[in-house]
């Protein structure tokens, strides 16, 4: 005789919302590192973040119900850091360092909640905007992306039967495990999960992280997702993101101050975190300009995270620059994290093996690859290029150029000005899949 | 907060046995059809059935714990047909016929239980023997095979972690679904599940049957497993098996009576079931001899189930015979059920399409194909050629020759005698995988 837990079943009858984001730690680790610095150095800056769907062909507002989206965003706004979470943030070591977060910052987090949002549907897309202090709006990036992406997955799966879902997830598991078996063959691989923002869903990301832990052992060094790091006793991985140079550039009063903004970010970061976490993100306004104008001390930093140029070209350029500065790349670190998948990880690993230390941040193609998995062959599960970017700071427009013009964001007139200041050297236009 | 059903968890603490066979209907349908006839015509015949592992390299008694095997066999002996099951057998239509089972037979089934067994381990193999009235020992064939096969699967999976098991079943599901998608492309396919005896496990067979139902729709005509047919509202499929000619041959007093035994079975069958279920199983002592000596009326039967020769050769031989007898094969039926898999189904289907009606009974390669599924790459899940055959009737040895000498069973002296009576024409030795 089948035994059913009647209480659970009765609770399920009355199901109202299956929340996508259930913890403020369900975010990327770099958000917390940046937040601590922002609160310390830029507590009064106002910053607006906006959702940008670069995959115009997917009309999100026709796929996702606006009411459901509001319910999920409202639920995220109801969250607070729990005592357990704050104790873990305070007591855990990150990158081997104790007390990465000050007790003052931890106390401030205890009162933190996500600020309001503005949402409307225009021409089949959502305009989703977060206004307010940078110390608050910055924290919307990851939950907003995770919510929209998972609502899109749910919409694609809404009409599927139990059996089709079973086959779909069986195939996705088999597919990921094939990737794990290929990655196992790479000697000295160092890889981490960067897939929170573009994940198919929270539970699927958790499965993917378990798969890497089980399949890659020590070669899997951790996850950018703080909640999964805490629950799985994994390292939380990440340093900083484009929003820092973007905001500082937006605040620059002159072209010269604009040109210096990317280096000012590094000085701020070093002042705040000392000798730890010294990873340069060089491509906010173009890697070529960044390297050309960089002060010599930038070559003392631990490594670079090229994030928008093809990985081999980007890496070679940085290696040549280190060598020109008299540094030995074998003592340096490159972190590759832009749309990586097993093919590009293999190619990049082969190209640089023995020449530089390498680490891979595996994102969308880890946590949202359902190609060929739907037994009904329907569309809707392919990942889209969805981002949540800072679009203005203290009322001034924010811009990102990147090494790939297809990834540029911002006001066209401001983009033109940035192009004049930073130049167009070394940009390679490439289709942005994810 | 996670909610746990405490009662279920507490029950699980005290887990003693996870029974493999939980219903006397968890058997092949042909056993019930044969049983009704055996009880009617041969109620006093004593028949011994024995487990035979043709895959000598797998030393079953070193893989399976004898105590666990006894516990499972004992549990099967504790089973009775339930009221619901008997009502269903009495009330359901089989092959479009109502009251296939007489009320007298149903009443007799109500008191049925599996008879005793003799079990010992010799040279790494189990000697498992069932002695008693044919009306009882015949019913051990399927549960005995299902129990031994599932215990072997459990042994292979015993030390695996939760994650490895998850990947293993995900791969097996993905693998089966690839097969389903290939089979979908065959026009007018007619296929059924014949996989009870060699299944990986009961729950896995149930999943496979659901997969075929979901993926093939009307092309999936049913399952040989009576329990799954009842629970899934599917047709129960099957007619008769080698044990009928084997027992009648063993009882034959003269060589001439031996030669006539295969046709006497058909006369018995027709007398018992009228115009229904007229499927000939021609290969017990060699198809060539069977066809050569067959009375003309055999060509009036609906179809043949060639079960040990390569399917295309076997089918062509039968088609030629029908034509020689002046029958149109397009009005006849061939049922292919010997070690079929998608490749051989495709080849056979292509060869005979439009020339004869065809049906496929898909067994071991449906319900026990885990090739390449174990993430640890360990052996132990590959199916073995395990059978449970009648080995004597009223104390006289029983023999099967088949079209493939590798599938012959019985006493060597008796095999030689049978070879003299039936001849050696048309036998093709082939490796027996399953």
């Amino acid at each position: 005789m089948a035994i059913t837990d009647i209480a659970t079943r009765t609770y399920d009858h009355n199901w109202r919302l299956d929340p996508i984001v259930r913890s403020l730690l369900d975010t990327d680790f770099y958000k917390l590192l940046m937040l601590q610095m922002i609160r310390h150095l830029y507590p009064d800056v106002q910053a607006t973040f906006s959702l940008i769907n670069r995959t115009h062909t997917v009309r999100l507002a026709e796929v996702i119900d606006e009411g459901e989206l509001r319910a999920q965003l409202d639920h995220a706004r109801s969250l607070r850091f729990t005592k357990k979470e704050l104790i873990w943030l305070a007591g855990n070591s990150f990158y081997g360092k104790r007390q990465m977060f000050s007790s003052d910052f931890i106390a401030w987090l205890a009162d933190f909640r996500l600020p309001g949002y503005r949402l409307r549907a225009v021409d089949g897309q959502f305009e989703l905007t977060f206004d307010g202090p940078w110390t608050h709006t910055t924290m919307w990036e990851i939950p907003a992306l995770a919510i929209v992406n998972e609502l899109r997955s749910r919409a694609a799966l809404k009409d599927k039967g139990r059996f089709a879902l079973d086959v779909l997830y069986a195939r996705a598991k088999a597919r990921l495990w094939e990737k794990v078996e290929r990655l196992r063959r790479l000697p000295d691989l160092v890889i981490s999960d960067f897939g929170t923002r573009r994940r198919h869903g929270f539970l699927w990301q958790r499965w993917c992280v378990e798969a890497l832990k089980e399949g890659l052992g020590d070669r899997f060094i951790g996850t950018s997702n703080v909640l999964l790091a805490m629950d799985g006793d994994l390292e939380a991985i990440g340093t900083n993101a484009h929003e820092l140079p973007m905001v500082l550039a937006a605040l620059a009063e002159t072209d010269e101050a604009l040109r210096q903004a990317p280096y000012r970010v590094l000085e701020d970061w070093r002042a705040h975190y000392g000798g730890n976490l010294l990873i340069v993100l060089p491509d906010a306004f173009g890697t070529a300009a960044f390297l050309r104008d960089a002060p010599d001390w930038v070559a003392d930093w631990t490594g670079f995270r090229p994030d928008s140029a093809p990985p081999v070209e980007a890496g070679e350029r940085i290696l040549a620059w280190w060598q020109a500065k008299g540094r030995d790349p074998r003592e340096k670190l490159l972190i590759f994290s832009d749309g990586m998948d097993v093919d590009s990880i293999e190619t990049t690993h082969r190209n640089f093996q023995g020449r530089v230390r390498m680490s891979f941040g595996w994102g969308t193609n880890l946590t949202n690859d359902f190609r060929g998995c739907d037994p009904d062959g329907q569309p809707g599960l392919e990942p889209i290029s969805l981002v949540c970017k800072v679009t203005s700071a203290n009322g001034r427009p924010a811009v990102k150029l990147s090494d790939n013009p297809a990834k540029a964001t911002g006001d066209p007139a401001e983009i033109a000005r940035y192009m004049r200041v930073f130049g167009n050297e070394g940009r390679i236009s490439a289709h942005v899949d994810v």
Side-chain angles (χ1 to χ4, degrees), chain A:
Chain A
M1 190 123 108
I3 294 174
T4 303
D5 180 347
I6 305 174
T8 298
R9 187 64 177 261
T10 303
Y11 175 76
D12 292 349
H13 296 162
N14 299 310
W15 196 260
R16 275 189 201 87
L17 182 75
D18 185 359
I20 290 171
V21 172
R22 299 179 180 210
S23 158
L24 288 173
L25 284 192
D26 184 10
T27 192
D28 277 347
F29 184 55
Y30 73 7
K31 300 298 314 194
L32 294 177
L33 291 174
M34 290 191 289
L35 180 59
Q36 180 167 237
M37 187 184 93
I38 293 165
R39 177 174 167 267
H40 188 63
L41 300 178
Y42 303 97
D44 301 323
V45 170
Q46 301 291 306
T48 298
F49 279 72
S50 305
L51 191 77
I52 300 166
N53 175 14
R54 296 189 289 221
T55 307
H56 305 295
T57 49
V58 172
R59 296 171 65 81
L60 283 175
E62 294 172 3
V63 175
I64 295 170
D65 179 78
E66 188 179 320
E68 283 183 46
L69 176 52
R70 286 183 187 277
Q72 291 290 347
L73 295 168
D74 292 342
H75 184 268
R77 290 198 66 215
S78 75
L79 297 171
R80 299 290 183 278
F81 288 97
T82 67
K83 274 192 193 176
K84 175 182 81 169
E85 292 170 344
L86 294 172
I87 290 166
W88 181 81
L89 281 177
N92 190 45
S93 296
F94 298 96
Y95 289 104
K97 181 174 152 51
R98 291 183 175 279
Q99 292 175 311
M100 182 72 89
F101 300 104
S102 70
S103 53
D104 171 61
F105 178 64
I106 298 281
W108 179 82
L109 284 182
D111 292 325
F112 182 89
R113 60 177 288 190
L114 288 168
Y117 59 87
R118 284 185 290 128
L119 172 66
R120 60 175 192 146
V122 181
D123 285 343
Q125 299 293 347
F126 287 120
E127 276 187 10
L128 177 56
T129 314
F130 308 100
D131 302 298
W134 190 12
T135 49
H136 285 70
T137 54
T138 183
M139 289 296 282
W140 260 120
E141 180 191 10
I142 307 301
L145 292 171
I147 285 170
V148 174
N149 279 315
E150 186 162 342
L151 282 177
R152 184 165 163 266
S153 303
R154 291 185 183 184
L157 300 177
K158 191 165 51 185
D159 296 327
K160 293 213 175 300
R162 195 183 61 74
F163 194 87
L165 291 171
D166 195 11
V167 170
L168 186 144
Y169 285 106
R171 282 180 166 177
K173 287 178 177 180
R175 183 178 177 85
L176 179 57
W177 199 255
E178 301 302 324
K179 294 185 182 187
V180 168
E181 295 197 332
R182 279 175 63 188
L183 291 176
R184 267 183 182 162
R185 294 182 209 120
L186 297 181
D188 308 321
L189 177 71
V190 174
I191 196 165
S192 57
D193 157 42
F194 274 24
T196 302
R197 68 191 59 202
R198 296 278 176 74
R199 68 192 182 197
H200 169 80
F202 173 76
L203 294 175
W204 180 245
Q205 183 186 18
R206 192 170 72 182
W207 193 90
C208 294
V209 165
E210 284 177 25
L212 296 192
K213 190 175 167 183
E214 189 85 16
L216 298 178
D218 289 348
R219 283 170 283 192
F220 176 57
I221 59 166
T223 169
S224 64
N225 187 295
V226 192
L227 181 63
L228 294 176
M230 180 178 76
D231 286 346
D233 265 342
L234 293 164
E235 290 291 324
I237 304 289
T239 51
N240 53 57
H242 294 112
E243 67 181 278
L244 298 182
M246 287 172 74
V247 168
L248 267 62
L251 298 178
E253 299 282 343
T254 66
D255 284 359
E256 183 51 30
L258 171 59
R259 199 188 320 276
Q260 291 306 319
Y263 314 111
R264 178 144 170 236
V265 167
L266 300 188
E267 289 176 291
D268 284 350
W269 190 259
R270 175 167 207 147
H272 202 79
Y273 287 111
N276 292 289
L277 312 176
L278 296 184
I279 301 297
V280 180
L281 184 64
D283 68 322
F285 312 116
T287 301
F290 179 91
L291 295 175
R292 184 192 63 216
D293 298 338
D296 283 346
W297 55 260
V298 174
D300 295 329
W301 278 43
T302 309
F304 277 65
R305 178 161 75 90
D307 196 44
S308 56
V312 169
E313 285 95 316
E316 291 292 356
R317 194 185 294 159
I318 295 163
L319 256 71
W321 182 82
W322 274 323
Q323 281 160 335
K325 296 282 179 185
R327 305 307 199 285
D328 182 352
R330 287 173 300 179
E331 294 169 4
K332 298 292 185 183
L333 175 65
L334 286 180
I335 300 171
F336 296 98
S337 60
D338 180 33
M340 303 304 287
D341 203 356
V342 177
D343 284 339
S344 58
I345 292 172
E346 286 174 345
T347 307
T348 307
H349 184 271
R350 198 178 308 121
N351 186 76
F352 290 110
Q353 203 187 356
R355 298 170 58 208
V356 63
R357 289 159 51 213
M358 268 177 287
S359 174
F360 294 92
W362 195 12
T364 314
N365 291 309
L366 167 63
T367 60
N368 201 355
D369 182 4
F370 284 74
R371 277 170 281 193
C373 293
D374 181 356
D376 306 325
Q378 291 170 329
L381 287 181
E382 62 295 344
I384 56 174
S385 187
L386 189 73
V387 293
C388 184
K389 284 286 175 195
V390 60
T391 45
S392 73
N394 286 351
R396 303 159 67 106
V399 162
K400 180 185 169 194
L401 295 181
S402 108
D403 288 328
N404 178 356
K407 289 181 109 174
T409 61
D411 171 75
E414 279 294 290
I415 290 181
R417 178 176 153 243
Y418 279 55
M419 290 287 274
R420 184 165 48 71
V421 168
F422 293 104
N424 198 25
E425 194 191 337
R427 287 187 221 285
I428 302 166
S429 199
H431 179 68
V432 180
D433 282 319
V434 291

